[in-house]
Amino acid sequence: MIAEKIKMLRNANNMTQSELARKLNITRSSVNAWEMGISIPSTTFIVELAQLFRVSTDYLLGLPTHNSIDISTLNETEVAIIYSLIRYFNQSKKS
């Protein structure tokens, strides 16, 4: 499962195995082994892959994911608007 995700993310980012290997400071054969399912990345590399491709580690590992929004740059009024929208959409699904 992680093998397919790594390959899909690498291809979606127009990267070769060699380019990904350089970014992670590993060999191309290591990336190839991950993508073929021969080996799996260590936890350190799972975190680095998640950061590089801007996905969660849960996504890479095939765990159920929940969408999240970074609201750290919003002011209190904007945060309140976001929460009210979420309540609105959740209520409309119940109807």
Side-chain angles (χ1 to χ4, degrees), residues 14-62:
N14 297 314
M15 295 173 76
T16 65
Q17 287 182 344
S18 295
E19 290 169 331
L20 178 56
R22 270 193 299 279
K23 289 185 182 288
L24 298 173
N25 206 21
I26 59 174
T27 64
R28 187 206 57 80
S29 62
S30 294
V31 173
N32 187 56
W34 294 346
E35 290 184 2
M36 293 185 70
I38 296 168
S39 67
I40 58 170
S42 68
T43 53
T44 300
F45 286 118
I46 290 172
V47 171
E48 287 186 38
L49 287 163
Q51 290 171 336
L52 178 66
F53 293 127
R54 297 183 180 266
V55 297
S56 70
T57 55
D58 285 355
Y59 174 79
L60 282 174
L61 296 170

